[in-house]
């Protein structure tokens, strides 16, 4: 059968879609573009915001309209947390966030039987153990996701994910190292360690290991690959973490610290486990131990109760941190979370204005960070509009003109200009790059 995928949300979802692609192709099925006809449409959903929910519903309806006789299957966080909503959508098969192998078998069964309506969310799909899935992706990709953790127990007041993903489950260290070595052998030049909350890796193992132990093992197993970390809880960054991480030559000096707010009062309402002083300590430690690290972050504006003074405190804090890049989000009310029923909800127009103002600050900081680079090494990923695009170890996007096929090559580039959030450069034809 022909299978088409659509993925929303985080890198974990991207990783799990890649794994599903491999599971389907390994069983003899053919992948086709989502925009065309298919026997099966699989939508890997996200529920981190109300906008994500809406997009998930839209994509489901588009698939059904495109091929009325196809099997439309949904998986991921949205059906896990909103099973009643899914009942009102034109889907044939429903899964949550577990047992992907079982999900493949259910899709095959649904296609074979041509059922009009199948809803299958059985006990196997509710299992709360780490599910080993094939890491990587299909031919043509340069960067592979390696999922090392699932679940979260932080219970931030704005977030539904702990309810969707369950408690922390960790991929054993030896298994992660083995997968990293396999992916390196397949030709990937970069591996991204991802998970719902990778800072919690090892929490339930109770053997004294932590994330830095895992990072060391993966870096050693794939010495020829760049190893990039997913989003980190700020308290992960300690003196010991930095000392050990700085010794790993293939670890990318790019650290995404999940901030959410630069105001202590707002952080407390969010039920974040750190304050701005501890967050800034992490930023300072990274800059002490790494050469010009790219410290990036997320920021939510307009959280319930956020006053103008609190917002200004956040702006002052991000200027002090001088982030290399930021993701700015207006707060989105998530039914089922404590924040949804908090008093003093911020009006939409105010949230949008604050998001615009924060984004302007973020753009200025990003431009300043990009201006320091003169010559960089770029992993070339794709050609578009006559320019090859790729990223440095610090995740700066670089574009270069070239008539060559540069796919999956590491090339030296001389920077010639700083554009809107990316660098323009020229290839340096050096021997033994």
């Amino acid at each position: 059968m022909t299978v088409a995928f659509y993925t929303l949300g985080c890198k974990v979802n991207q990783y799990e879609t890649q794994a599903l692609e491999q599971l389907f192709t390994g069983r003899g099925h053919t992948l086709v573009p989502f925009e065309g006809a298919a026997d099966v449409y699989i939508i890997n959903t996200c529920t981190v915001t109300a906008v994500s929910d809406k997009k998930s519903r839209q994509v489901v309806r588009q698939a059904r309209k495109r091929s009325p006789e196809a099997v439309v299957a949904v998986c991921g966080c949205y059906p896990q947390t909103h099973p009643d909503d899914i009942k009102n959508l034109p889907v044939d098969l429903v899964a949550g966030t577990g047992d992907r192998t079982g999900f493949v078998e259910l899709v095959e069964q649904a296609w074979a039987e041509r059922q009009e309506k199948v809803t299958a969310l059985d006990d196997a799909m509710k299992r709360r153990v780490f599910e080993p899935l094939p890491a990587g992706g299909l031919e043509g990709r340069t960067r592979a996701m390696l999922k090392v953790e699932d679940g979260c127990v932080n219970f931030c007041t704005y977030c539904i994910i702990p309810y969707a993903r369950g408690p922390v489950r960790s991929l054993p260290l030896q298994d992660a190292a083995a997968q990293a070595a396999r992916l390196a052998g397949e030709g990937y030049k970069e591996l991204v360690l991802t998970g719902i909350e990778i800072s919690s890796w090892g929490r339930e193992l109770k053997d004294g290991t932590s994330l830095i132990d895992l990072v060391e093992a993966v870096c050693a197993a794939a010495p020829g690959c760049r190893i990039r970390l997913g989003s980190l809880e700020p308290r992960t960054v300690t003196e010991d973490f930095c000392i050990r991480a700085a010794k790993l030559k293939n670890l990318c000096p790019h650290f995404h610290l999940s901030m959410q707010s630069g105001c202590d009062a707002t952080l407390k309402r969010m039920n974040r486990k750190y304050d701005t002083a501890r967050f800034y300590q992490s930023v300072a430690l990274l800059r002490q131990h790494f050469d010009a690290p790219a410290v990036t972050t997320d920021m939510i504006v307009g959280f319930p109760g956020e006053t103008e003074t609190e917002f200004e405190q956040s702006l002052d804090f991000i200027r002090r941190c001088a982030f290399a890049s930021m993701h700015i989000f207006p707060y989105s009310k998530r039914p089922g979370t404590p924040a949804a029923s908090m008093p003093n909800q911020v009006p939409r127009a105010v949230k949008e204005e604050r998001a615009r103002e924060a984004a302007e600050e973020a753009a200025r900081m990003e431009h300043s960070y990009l201006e320091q680079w003169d010559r960089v090494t770029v992993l070339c990923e794709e050609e578009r509009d006559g320019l090859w695009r790729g990223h440095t170890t610090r995740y700066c996007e670089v574009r270069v003109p070239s008539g060559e096929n540069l796919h999956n090559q590491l090339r030296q580039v001389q920077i010639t200009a700083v554009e809107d959030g990316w660098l323009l450069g020229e290839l340096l034809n050096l021997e033994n790059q």
Side-chain angles (χ1 to χ4, degrees):
M1 63 189 182
T2 57
V3 185
F5 284 89
Y6 194 100
T7 307
L8 298 101
C10 65
K11 287 185 173 64
V12 171
N13 269 18
Q14 296 173 30
Y15 165 88
E16 292 175 347
T17 293
Q18 291 178 2
L20 282 170
E21 289 174 343
Q22 290 198 63
L23 290 172
F24 274 99
T25 56
R27 295 167 76 99
H29 305 302
T30 302
L31 300 184
V32 296
F34 194 85
E35 295 74 19
D39 298 325
V40 176
Y41 294 92
I42 297 176
I43 298 95
N44 195 355
T45 63
C46 173
T47 191
V48 72
T49 67
V51 174
S52 302
D53 291 351
K54 182 180 179 180
K55 180 64 175 177
S56 296
R57 293 191 294 268
Q58 290 174 338
V59 175
V60 167
R61 294 188 179 104
Q62 289 168 6
R64 175 58 70 203
K65 183 178 181 180
R66 187 175 299 120
S67 297
E69 301 303 318
V71 172
V72 177
V74 295
C75 59
C77 293
Y78 184 43
Q80 189 79 35
T81 57
H82 295 77
D84 291 338
D85 289 359
I86 297 297
K87 294 177 182 177
N88 298 318
L89 293 174
V91 300
D92 301 296
L93 183 64
V94 180
T97 57
D99 192 12
R100 294 292 189 252
T101 303
F103 176 59
V104 174
E105 294 172 352
L106 287 172
V107 170
E108 291 175 328
Q109 177 186 343
W111 168 246
E113 298 178 0
R114 306 285 290 176
Q115 294 176 335
E116 294 182 359
K117 192 78 173 177
V118 177
T119 52
L121 184 57
D122 57 19
D123 292 340
M125 290 187 176
K126 297 178 182 177
R127 290 187 300 181
R128 289 306 183 199
V129 295
F130 192 93
E131 180 187 8
L133 293 170
L138 300 179
E139 182 181 359
R141 295 195 173 114
T142 60
R143 181 182 298 113
M145 307 292 178
L146 176 52
K147 179 183 172 185
V148 298
E149 183 273 345
D150 206 340
C152 180
V153 293
N154 288 335
F155 291 97
C156 301
T157 56
Y158 54 81
C159 186
I160 197 73
I161 297 303
Y163 307 96
R165 288 282 177 170
V168 173
R169 290 92 71 197
S170 304
L171 178 67
L173 185 148
Q174 295 84 354
D175 293 351
Q179 287 199 38
R182 177 180 63 81
L183 291 166
E186 292 178 2
Y188 287 98
K189 295 291 198 307
E190 183 174 309
L191 308 182
V192 182
L193 301 189
T194 188
I196 295 302
E197 214 276 301
I198 66 170
S199 288
S200 293
W201 183 91
R203 179 189 182 115
E204 85 288 14
L205 301 180
K206 300 186 184 303
D207 61 1
T209 55
S210 65
L211 179 63
I212 188 60
D213 298 294
L214 176 75
V215 175
E216 288 175 335
V218 169
C219 284
C225 278
R226 294 177 172 181
I227 306 299
R228 192 180 300 279
L229 300 181
S231 181
L232 298 175
E233 206 272 7
R235 294 176 302 165
T236 304
V237 181
T238 62
E239 186 83 35
D240 178 66
F241 177 92
C242 290
I243 290 172
R244 294 167 66 180
K247 296 177 182 178
L248 305 174
K249 301 305 181 184
N250 55 332
L251 179 65
C252 293
H254 168 214
F255 302 94
H256 189 87
L257 304 183
S258 183
M259 182 188 74
Q260 310 308 350
S261 176
C263 167
D264 287 338
T266 305
L267 288 171
K268 187 174 182 179
R269 290 196 301 277
M270 290 177 168
N271 195 35
R272 302 296 283 176
K273 308 302 190 296
Y274 52 85
D275 57 16
T276 53
R278 179 62 185 85
F279 187 97
Y280 190 77
Q281 181 185 24
S282 297
V283 174
L285 281 169
L286 291 171
R287 289 179 175 151
Q288 175 185 340
H289 290 277
F290 292 87
D291 179 27
V295 182
T296 62
T297 198
D298 304 313
M299 180 180 178
I300 297 172
V301 299
F303 189 75
E306 183 185 66
T307 64
E308 192 63 35
T309 298
E310 290 179 345
F311 174 63
E312 289 297 333
Q313 289 175 3
S314 280
L315 287 183
D316 289 341
F317 186 69
I318 65 174
R319 294 185 192 107
R320 182 183 174 203
C321 291
F323 294 110
S325 180
M326 295 182 68
H327 296 145
I328 311 293
F329 304 95
Y331 169 71
S332 176
K333 185 183 291 188
R334 164 53 55 221
T337 62
S341 57
M342 284 182 175
N344 302 315
Q345 298 283 328
V346 178
R348 178 178 177 180
V350 174
K351 290 189 289 188
E352 291 177 349
E353 174 58 25
R354 289 178 182 175
R356 183 197 62 76
E357 190 172 348
E360 289 180 353
E361 290 291 342
R364 281 192 284 270
M365 290 186 292
E366 181 177 48
H367 191 88
S368 177
Y369 183 78
L370 292 175
E371 282 184 318
Q372 68 184 296
W373 303 112
D374 178 43
R375 180 181 293 187
V376 295
T377 302
V378 180
L379 175 57
C380 301
E381 299 160 16
E382 64 173 349
E383 188 273 336
R384 196 187 310 167
D385 300 326
L387 295 175
W388 275 93
R389 304 182 183 202
H391 290 83
T392 69
T393 56
R394 293 165 176 81
Y395 212 63
C396 302
E397 182 181 338
V398 180
R399 304 179 191 180
V400 294
S402 176
E404 304 176 54
N405 182 355
L406 303 179
H407 179 257
N408 208 29
Q409 292 186 29
L410 287 165
R411 299 295 294 267
Q412 291 286 314
V413 174
Q414 182 71 41
I415 300 304
T416 58
V418 179
E419 302 292 343
D420 185 17
W422 51 277
L423 296 167
L424 180 65
E426 297 177 346
L427 286 179
L428 292 172
N429 293 314
L430 304 176
E431 294 183 2
N432 301 318
Q433 291 201 63

